[in-house]
Amino acid sequence: MNIYFDTSSLVKLYSEEVDSFEVESIITKNKIEAIYLSELTQIEFVSAIWKKIREKQLSKENGKKVISIFAKDHDKYIW
């Protein structure tokens, strides 16, 4: 199965949110062959994480770690 994640779904994979479990379940309960992302997702993802930092939902240190992990996972996605 191939799926498309918008930025909000992708953020739920990297940062705990209300619906994070549901997004993770989609991946674990299905045979996912590819995850497609928009070209804008990288910019939107970083912006969403910095918003969490500004709103004190995430520490600056943890936010930078999340962004770094996402950058390392770049090749896992189809852009």
Side-chain angles (χ1 to χ4, degrees), residues 2-53:
N2 296 331
I3 59 173
Y4 169 81
F5 274 167
D6 64 3
T7 306
S8 64
S9 297
L10 191 65
V11 169
K12 287 173 178 40
L13 286 178
Y14 288 87
S15 178
E16 190 67 35
E17 292 187 0
V18 175
D19 296 328
S20 290
F21 177 76
E22 285 79 9
V23 175
E24 291 172 11
S25 291
I26 291 170
I27 293 174
T28 58
K29 292 181 180 180
N30 296 286
K31 185 179 179 186
I32 305 298
E33 295 175 18
I35 298 175
Y36 288 84
L37 304 177
S38 164
E39 291 285 333
L40 295 174
T41 301
Q42 190 167 3
I43 295 167
E44 292 175 341
F45 181 89
V46 172
S47 177
I49 298 302
W50 277 103
K51 180 180 179 184
K52 286 176 167 277
I53 293 168

